[in-house]
Amino acid sequence: MKNRKSAIVTQSVVAAPQTGKNSHPFLPLSSYSPFAAPDAELYRSLREAVPIIDASIQKLVRLLGSFEVRCGSRDAEKSLRQFLKDVDVGGTRKGIEAFISTFFEQFLTYGTAVGEMVVSGFELKSLYNADLKCVSLSFGKNPLDVVVCTQNENGVFVPVKYPQLILKSVRNPEPGKLYGTSLLKGLPFVSDILLKIFNTIGLNWERVGNVRFAVTYKPQDDRLDKAYAKERAMQVATEWSKAMEKNGPVKDFVAVGDVEIKAIGADNQILESEVPVRQILEQIVAKMGIPPFLLGLSWSTTERMSSQQADILTSELEFYRRELEPIIRKICKTFLVLSGLDCEFSVEWSDITLQDVTELSRSAYYTAQSRKILSEIGEKGDGN
């Protein structure tokens, strides 16, 4: 009897690994070290893991706006505009705006963007956005000389053959550094905390929302009941499984004896996540420079505050335009030189408008009304 009792006790003790390893799937974020140089994979994972970061970058790319090129010669302007509209940029995409969008997105995400002008004979054929994995920047003979290198067949980085065809731009590089600073710098730490909260919420809802039960059979004091405790427990488990089948009919569970049924996790309290998530999102939005209302965040803001945030974003977009304009000018100049056209040109960006249609219509109405009043005053002055 002692051996049977010890066997029952031994088999009833089961490990419950409810605190097992369940990390979120974005390992580059969880293994990020603030003292190590982040790589491109980290920033790619950051955009994929936190949708609000990816949405902010996409918003900046779209709000950058379009531009037009004007030349001193009408024929040169027509040829240049046609080239910028139909230039091949890889895949099924065409036009310099598609190239600039990818270039700008790379510029924001990694802090460094590299492209290339593909020339065939004496004609500029296409524009190419380079993968940063295949490109390396190094110092030349002096600190002001930057050499762009690419991998050869043996995987060794060697200087490119035609550096004058390379397009490169870096964002806020640190002193003595060649590579730029990503817009996402400083976000891996807070984003990792945010993902831990989201992952924990998912696990808690999986445990609590999908109700699981603990069925406990307690043998009575008599020896016979204790002797067959294991068999009765197995019988109770079998009948409970049949009663809880998903695809089967609804059944009642009937048991004889002292049987206790509890919902696992029903006594636990899920931690409040609204406040910490809001605090982390505020840090992310502040870093990205996008007004919250553009991201669908209904935070309490006054009309004046929204207007000020729009003005700040306008200045940010103008800064990015100044960073990208040298790339556009280099492409246009290369096309004109290879086409044998020698003329001055200028890049004119479209106006940045972040107001709604009602405000724009009201502004246009006031402008037209003021012009009418000024013209009437001028006519009366000429008549006197």
Side-chain angles (χ1 to χ4, degrees):
M1 181 66 69
K2 290 184 179 180
N3 294 334
R4 177 181 291 274
K5 184 175 182 180
S6 61
I8 295 174
V9 174
T10 303
Q11 294 182 7
S12 62
V13 179
V14 180
Q18 60 180 0
T19 58
K21 185 177 180 182
N22 285 304
S23 59
H24 57 74
F26 300 97
L27 295 179
L29 286 176
S30 59
S31 60
Y32 166 71
S33 175
F35 297 101
D39 56 0
E41 184 64 28
L42 173 64
Y43 292 133
R44 277 194 294 268
S45 299
L46 197 60
R47 290 187 58 179
E48 185 178 356
V50 187
I52 197 171
I53 295 178
D54 185 68
S56 299
I57 293 180
Q58 295 293 338
K59 285 288 191 301
L60 288 174
V61 172
R62 288 179 174 85
L63 292 174
L64 184 66
S66 58
F67 60 90
E68 291 184 353
V69 178
R70 300 191 182 276
C71 302
S73 172
R74 181 173 298 180
D75 294 337
E77 180 177 326
K78 182 179 179 180
S79 300
L80 181 57
R81 287 190 175 185
Q82 190 66 32
F83 163 77
L84 296 178
K85 181 180 179 181
D86 299 333
V87 61
D88 186 13
V89 296
T92 59
R93 306 181 70 191
K94 290 184 177 294
I96 192 172
E97 291 189 0
F99 171 79
I100 291 297
S101 297
T102 304
F103 191 89
F104 183 45
E105 188 174 343
Q106 191 180 53
F107 175 82
L108 294 175
T109 305
Y110 310 115
T112 304
V114 179
E116 183 180 357
M117 296 179 288
V118 181
V119 176
S120 178
F122 292 96
E123 184 180 359
L124 182 55
K125 287 291 187 180
S126 60
L127 303 174
Y128 172 72
N129 292 105
D131 187 357
L132 294 181
K133 292 181 179 179
C134 306
V135 178
S136 175
L137 303 180
S138 60
F139 286 108
K141 297 180 180 179
N142 57 75
L144 300 179
D145 186 16
V146 179
V147 179
V148 180
C149 303
T150 185
Q151 286 181 326
N152 58 11
E153 298 178 353
N154 299 324
V156 180
F157 283 96
V158 296
V160 294
K161 190 175 181 180
Y162 304 104
Q164 65 273 16
L165 299 178
I166 299 299
L167 305 168
K168 59 181 180 297
S169 182
V170 294
R171 178 185 179 275
N172 299 336
E174 297 181 1
K177 302 293 184 180
L178 288 175
Y179 292 90
T181 303
S182 171
L183 180 63
L184 310 183
K185 182 180 180 180
L187 294 183
F189 175 71
V190 294
S191 299
D192 186 30
I193 298 176
L194 181 65
L195 292 178
K196 288 179 180 177
I197 295 176
F198 287 161
N199 187 59
T200 304
I201 292 175
L203 293 177
N204 289 336
W205 275 101
E206 185 178 357
R207 292 178 183 140
V208 179
N210 186 12
V211 183
R212 300 177 183 179
F213 299 92
V215 182
T216 306
Y217 169 67
K218 299 179 181 180
Q220 301 298 321
D221 294 335
D222 59 288
R223 295 182 178 181
L224 184 62
D225 197 10
K226 292 182 179 180
Y228 293 96
K230 179 180 178 181
E231 288 78 2
R232 292 178 179 177
M234 296 298 295
Q235 185 179 7
V236 169
T238 302
E239 295 300 325
W240 179 258
S241 299
K242 293 180 180 179
M244 298 302 294
E245 286 181 355
K246 292 183 180 180
N247 299 326
V250 179
K251 299 179 181 179
D252 295 329
F253 174 72
V254 181
V256 178
D258 190 359
V259 178
E260 182 181 7
I261 302 174
K262 288 184 178 181
I264 299 176
D267 298 333
N268 294 335
Q269 181 180 2
I270 299 178
L271 296 177
E272 179 64 34
S273 61
E274 183 177 357
V275 174
V277 168
R278 165 97 182 243
Q279 292 176 345
I280 296 175
L281 289 180
E282 287 175 348
Q283 297 292 324
I284 295 176
V285 171
K287 179 65 175 177
M288 301 303 296
I290 295 289
F293 63 87
L294 290 180
L295 298 172
L297 300 175
S298 57
W299 294 344
S300 58
T301 56
T302 61
E303 182 179 355
R304 181 175 179 84
M305 184 182 298
S306 300
S307 178
Q308 291 176 347
Q309 291 174 346
D311 292 339
I312 294 174
L313 178 58
T314 301
S315 63
E316 288 287 332
L317 294 174
E318 290 176 350
F319 165 75
Y320 291 135
R321 286 181 171 184
R322 291 193 298 269
E323 292 289 323
L324 295 175
E325 188 166 331
I327 303 299
I328 300 173
R329 294 185 62 86
K330 186 174 182 179
I331 295 173
C332 295
K333 186 176 181 180
T334 303
F335 172 79
L336 292 174
V337 170
L338 293 177
S339 300
L341 301 173
D342 185 12
C343 64
E344 296 293 332
F345 66 91
S346 61
V347 179
E348 297 182 1
W349 292 88
S350 60
D351 295 333
I352 300 175
T353 55
L354 301 178
Q355 305 299 326
D356 56 16
V357 178
T358 303
E359 293 297 329
L360 292 176
S361 302
R362 186 181 292 112
S363 176
Y365 171 75
Y366 290 155
T367 302
Q369 192 175 29
S370 62
R371 289 177 180 175
K372 181 180 179 181
I373 295 174
L374 291 176
S375 63
E376 291 177 354
I377 294 175
E379 291 177 358
K380 289 181 180 180
D382 294 338
N384 295 334

